[in-house]
Amino acid sequence: MAPHSKMDTSCEEMPTEVPDGKSAAMAPALSTAPLVEDNDWDLPELQDMGVKWSDLDTKGKILRVLLTVGKLICLVGLLYMFVCSLDLLSSGFQLVGGKVAGDIFQDNVVLSNPLAGLVIGMLVTLLVQSSSTSSSIVVSMVSSGLLKVSTAVPVIMGTNIGTSVTNTLVALTQVGDRSKFRRAFAGATVHDFFNWLSVLVLLPLEVATGYLVKLTDLIVTSFNIQSGENAPDLLNVITDPLTLSIIELDKSVISGIATGDPEAKNKSLIKMWCKTFQNTTLQNVTVVNCTDGSCWELKNVTDIFNIKKCHHIFVNTTLSDMSVGLILLFGSLLVLCTCLILIVKLLNSMLKGQVAVVIKKIINTDFPFPFAWLTGYIAIIVGAGMTFIVQSSSVFTSAITPLVGIGVISIERVYPLSLGSNIGTTTTAILAAMASPGETLGNSLQIALVHLFFNLSGILLWYPFPFTRLPIRMAKALGNVTAQYRWFAICYIILCFFALPLLVFGLSMAGWQVLVGVLVPIVVVLLFAIVVNVLQKHKPQWLPSCLQSWDFLPLWAHSLEPWDRVVVVMAARCCCCCKCCNSMTEDEETGKPENKDNRLEMKDNPTIPAEIKEEKKTLDTPEILKGTSL
């Protein structure tokens, strides 16, 4: 264990005095000082505080069995509602931003820029909250000839990044406990860092060599692959009865907008007719602007007859797609957060004593020597299989994130599970592509294989050798930061998944000259900072004396401590304003003055002398960049 800083020791030696005869109602502390050690990533011991099985009588044993069975039934029900709420959340996002996503895809000039294509794939996946939906749009555009396969590759890479935001948001539900939040956020962002690092290496390589396009084209042309069946609906068979009774979408509208269908823009995404019949006949059609005297020509005309209406809640609604989408977003987020909180509480109550020991041993124990190296690859296969069953990498990674937080799964084990999840979500796309008609089978299958080989290439880069597993180290470094400064988790999500992509997209719209002129200096500065951090950690003598630490910079430029003080002050003012408003309301209602002496409010270490505050050590380097120097 690392020794405590002087500031922590001083805080422990200075008790706060409470006047005699006065009661102390202690308000929550506003300090964001770290409560966990940086190097302690061991899984916690889940203690069994109940009565042992051997000490129970017959009635007690029956009650415990019934209680355990009831908890299991509740857990299965909560997991079912959790998966359904994710599906409805995706539907809500598609209703709110689906047509915007189709319009974004329609700009082929911007998509021709690889970096812009990457960002567009990411933004569209964030808008619709479904990588399968955004991937299907790309496949439709490639099949219709609007996009080349080489142009669509960066977009597919972007969808890989966009789908990893869901489990990162799920980790925020455990923000109340620093230790749990530290593990949960690291377990969620290990997936993010894998995708980001893979793109940083493989996108330039693909632009320079086109190896993914060449490899997948070779596979598609070498094997005489015939059209197969649709992807099997495994989990959807269970969830569809509930989700389709609430909302059913016509996803072809988004694809139609992306492919330039003028009629699609006026259609609603909410499906009204679930069963239709198409009849194609040869008819005389009037020719517009005829000049040769013959104003008629024979054409195939397709008429669509509505047969059976859908039975979901919004089938006869007069609300707009935006209004229905906002209702679904609010309701699904409420159900999602409620289910996650209850799932964590149920798991905490169930995974105790011998049960916790057995589960943790099964999940986290490696195979005996000399087969220990196989354990991670088995975890990859398990992750791929589970994702194939649930048909969503977001569902699988979001489901295991709470388990990481409560200490059942280690960061080292969740990493290969997440890698397997990336592979599992591509197998479903491959099966779906094989169900395409013969004229579009080649392009559809090639795009699906690009997604698969992109993830396989990333695994070869960042998993086989322990020293290459940088995502684990970077995720732990970010976990340390977010445990100490929990507000930084929100900043990370906004910066990485919204602000940075929108900045790149805006610069791409301005032209590649502006994009290069702005991004190149930023990339150079970041690379310089990373190299200096690595040298400061391992070879400080190679650097000039001024660069052996970041002390020459202003404190706010190399430490989060000043920003933390700003957040603490803002939080304190908000709390004070809320307390004052509540007190004034109570005084008006009761007509009695507030007794301020009966409440002891804890501020951010108010009793620490100025001399001790000045001696407090600040971070010499940004904590996230430290992850790259480990």
Side-chain angles (χ1 to χ4, degrees):
M1 302 288 286
H4 291 285
S5 64
K6 294 180 181 179
M7 184 175 182
D8 295 337
T9 306
S10 302
C11 292
E12 293 175 0
E13 293 176 354
M14 291 185 178
T16 305
E17 296 181 1
V18 182
D20 294 335
K22 307 263 180 118
S23 62
M26 300 179 68
L30 297 175
S31 173
T32 55
L35 302 180
V36 293
E37 299 293 337
D38 284 344
N39 296 323
D40 186 14
W41 283 92
D42 295 334
L43 296 179
E45 292 293 335
L46 303 176
Q47 300 295 331
D48 189 2
M49 305 302 293
V51 182
K52 294 183 178 179
W53 176 264
S54 58
D55 297 336
L56 293 173
D57 56 8
T58 304
K59 182 179 179 181
K61 291 180 179 180
I62 294 175
L63 289 176
R64 177 168 290 186
V65 170
L66 293 177
L67 183 61
T68 303
V69 172
K71 287 181 178 179
L72 285 173
I73 294 174
C74 290
L75 182 62
V76 172
L78 288 172
L79 286 173
Y80 176 77
M81 293 301 297
F82 169 74
V83 174
C84 290
S85 63
L86 278 177
D87 193 358
L88 294 175
L89 182 69
S90 175
S91 299
F93 272 110
Q94 290 179 58
L95 285 170
V96 172
K99 292 188 175 181
V100 177
D103 288 331
I104 292 174
F105 268 128
Q106 202 172 3
D107 195 344
N108 295 330
V109 177
V110 178
L111 285 173
S112 61
N113 183 337
L115 193 58
L118 172 76
V119 173
I120 287 175
M122 182 178 172
L123 288 174
V124 170
T125 306
L126 289 173
L127 281 173
V128 300
Q129 278 297 293
S130 173
S131 59
S132 59
T133 299
S134 53
S135 299
S136 65
I137 297 174
V138 178
V139 171
S140 300
M141 296 183 70
V142 172
S143 300
S144 60
L146 294 177
L147 275 183
K148 295 181 180 179
V149 175
S150 57
T151 306
V153 171
V155 184
I156 291 295
M157 293 183 181
T159 62
N160 221 49
I161 296 177
T163 192
S164 63
V165 71
T166 307
N167 61 322
T168 308
L169 293 173
V170 167
L172 295 178
T173 59
Q174 294 178 279
V175 72
D177 187 294
R178 287 183 187 271
S179 182
K180 291 179 181 178
F181 181 56
R182 180 179 184 237
R183 289 189 296 268
F185 203 76
T189 54
V190 73
H191 192 198
D192 303 351
F193 284 120
F194 169 78
N195 288 329
W196 280 110
L197 290 174
S198 298
V199 166
L200 287 175
V201 174
L202 297 177
L203 180 59
L205 182 63
E206 174 64 21
V207 172
T209 64
Y211 86 101
L212 284 174
V213 174
K214 294 176 182 177
L215 177 61
T216 53
D217 182 64
L218 180 64
I219 293 175
V220 171
T221 55
S222 298
F223 297 93
N224 187 19
I225 301 176
Q226 302 296 327
S227 295
E229 299 295 332
N230 286 314
D233 290 333
L234 302 178
L235 190 65
N236 290 347
V237 172
I238 305 174
T239 59
D240 279 352
L242 177 61
T243 56
L244 296 184
S245 65
I246 298 175
I247 191 68
E248 190 169 357
L249 302 183
D250 186 1
K251 296 183 180 180
S252 63
V253 173
I254 305 177
S255 300
I257 295 174
T259 53
D261 184 3
E263 297 181 359
K265 291 188 176 183
N266 299 323
K267 290 183 179 179
S268 172
L269 278 169
I270 302 174
K271 184 180 286 188
M272 294 188 61
W273 299 94
C274 290
K275 190 175 181 180
T276 59
F277 173 73
Q278 292 185 357
N279 184 32
T280 303
T281 58
L282 191 63
Q283 299 180 9
N284 286 323
V285 179
T286 304
V287 178
V288 181
N289 299 326
C290 60
T291 57
D292 56 356
S294 176
C295 297
W296 301 89
E297 66 176 355
L298 290 175
K299 282 188 177 180
N300 288 324
V301 178
T302 300
D303 296 319
I304 300 177
F305 300 94
N306 298 321
I307 298 176
K308 184 179 180 182
K309 211 168 189 179
C310 299
H311 297 290
H312 55 82
I313 296 174
F314 297 99
V315 66
N316 293 317
T317 184
T318 57
L319 299 174
S320 63
D321 285 5
M322 176 70 73
S323 301
V324 175
L326 292 175
I327 293 172
L328 287 178
L329 283 179
F330 177 77
S332 59
L333 282 173
L334 181 63
V335 174
L336 178 70
C337 294
T338 303
C339 289
L340 280 174
I341 293 171
L342 294 177
I343 286 172
V344 171
K345 290 185 177 295
L346 266 179
L347 289 174
N348 279 327
S349 65
M350 295 173 63
L351 300 178
K352 293 181 178 179
Q354 192 63 30
V355 176
V357 173
V358 172
I359 293 178
K360 287 167 68 175
K361 279 186 176 180
I362 293 175
I363 295 178
N364 299 298
T365 303
D366 293 337
F367 290 132
F369 182 82
F371 303 106
W373 61 275
L374 283 174
T375 309
Y377 296 98
I378 298 297
I380 292 175
I381 296 174
V382 171
M386 293 300 296
T387 304
F388 179 76
I389 291 174
V390 301
Q391 293 189 350
S392 172
S393 59
S394 298
V395 170
F396 176 70
T397 54
S398 300
I400 63 177
T401 296
L403 297 177
V404 182
I406 65 177
V408 176
I409 304 178
S410 65
I411 307 297
E412 288 76 13
R413 184 63 74 239
V414 79
Y415 180 50
L417 289 173
S418 299
L419 301 186
S421 177
N422 274 1
I423 296 177
T425 193
T426 62
T427 57
T428 306
I430 292 173
L431 290 177
M434 292 181 66
S436 302
E439 63 273 10
T440 62
L441 175 62
N443 289 333
S444 302
L445 187 58
Q446 188 175 358
I447 286 296
L449 289 176
V450 163
H451 199 183
L452 172 63
F453 282 100
F454 167 73
N455 285 302
L456 289 176
S457 301
I459 292 174
L460 291 177
L461 281 174
W462 309 116
Y463 189 76
F465 304 103
F467 67 88
T468 63
R469 296 170 188 174
L470 291 180
I472 295 178
R473 302 175 186 179
M474 298 175 72
K476 284 186 176 181
L478 183 60
N480 290 333
V481 175
T482 52
Q484 183 173 354
Y485 310 107
R486 283 178 280 189
W487 53 267
F488 189 74
I490 304 294
C491 295
Y492 164 80
I493 293 174
I494 294 175
L495 178 65
C496 291
F497 292 102
F498 296 96
L500 183 60
L502 287 173
L503 173 64
V504 175
F505 181 70
L507 294 175
S508 301
M509 297 295 291
W512 67 267
Q513 297 91 343
V514 178
L515 180 66
V516 172
V518 174
L519 288 187
V520 168
I522 297 176
V523 172
V524 170
V525 171
L526 288 176
L527 290 176
F528 174 77
I530 293 173
V531 172
V532 171
N533 272 291
V534 173
L535 293 178
Q536 285 178 352
K537 179 73 175 180
H538 300 286
K539 298 289 182 180
Q541 65 275 12
W542 289 6
L543 294 170
S545 57
C546 62
L547 288 179
Q548 291 181 3
S549 70
W550 295 107
D551 292 339
F552 66 93
L553 293 175
L555 185 61
W556 59 265
H558 65 90
S559 172
L560 291 176
E561 187 62 31
W563 302 101
D564 182 58
R565 288 197 292 267
V566 173
V567 173
V568 169
V569 171
M570 294 175 62
R573 288 181 178 178
C574 291
C575 292
C576 289
C577 291
C578 293
K579 289 177 182 177
C580 291
C581 293
N582 293 334
S583 299
M584 291 175 63
T585 304
E586 292 175 0
D587 292 343
E588 291 176 357
E589 292 176 354
T590 60
K592 296 180 181 180
E594 181 187 3
N595 186 4
K596 296 181 180 179
D597 293 331
N598 289 338
R599 178 176 297 176
L600 175 63
E601 183 178 345
M602 293 182 64
K603 296 294 184 183
D604 190 15
N605 301 326
T607 60
I608 298 177
E611 294 81 7
I612 297 179
K613 288 185 178 181
E614 291 177 357
E615 293 177 4
K616 182 179 178 182
K617 296 181 180 180
T618 58
L619 300 173
D620 289 337
T621 56
E623 291 291 343
I624 298 178
L625 293 180
K626 280 186 177 180
T628 64
S629 62
L630 295 177

